[in-house]
Amino acid sequence: MKRLRITVNGISYEVEVEVLADDDEATLTAPTSINALPPARAATPPAQTAAPAAPPPNTHPSGPGVLASPIAGIVAEIKVNIGDHVKENDPLVVIEAMKMNSNVSSPVAGTIRAINVKVGDSVRQGQPLLEFA
């Protein structure tokens, strides 16, 4: 048996390895199960994880006159055009997510002022789809 020290991700482990062949090449093979001893003191402390970067500023319009996507997916169909008058609960956009189509309905009655996506666009949850006048 040979005692070896192995370092993984900055943590040192002392293990015992059985030498199966002792020829000029000194071939070592790992045993089928490793009974690691408690980790030895690491030579260098693990690197500290950097704080996550601040999210990029939201450049999308938001507010009561904006319809945001309730789910992430791909825009499969846009059922309205700019200038259309819609009633509350009218279907406006169809989003495909996980092989299912979901209708996104109008939360209010109003006129479509802008459409911020097109068919085939990938959208994130919360991303503005269209704006009301």
Side-chain angles (χ1 to χ4, degrees), residues 23-113:
D23 54 344
D24 294 334
E25 295 177 17
T27 304
L28 295 178
T29 59
T32 56
S33 67
I34 298 176
N35 295 322
L37 300 174
R41 191 177 70 112
T44 58
Q48 295 294 328
T49 306
N58 187 0
T59 58
H60 299 295
S62 61
V66 175
L67 176 66
S69 177
I71 58 174
I74 296 176
V75 177
E77 183 180 357
I78 299 174
K79 297 185 174 210
V80 293
N81 293 307
I82 295 175
D84 286 358
H85 298 284
V86 296
K87 297 180 288 195
E88 187 174 355
N89 295 324
D90 279 353
L92 305 176
V93 179
V94 177
I95 296 179
E96 180 186 336
M98 297 177 64
K99 300 198 186 264
M100 291 179 48
N101 287 342
S102 299
N103 283 318
V104 180
S105 299
S106 176
V108 296
T111 304
I112 305 299
R113 179 177 57 171

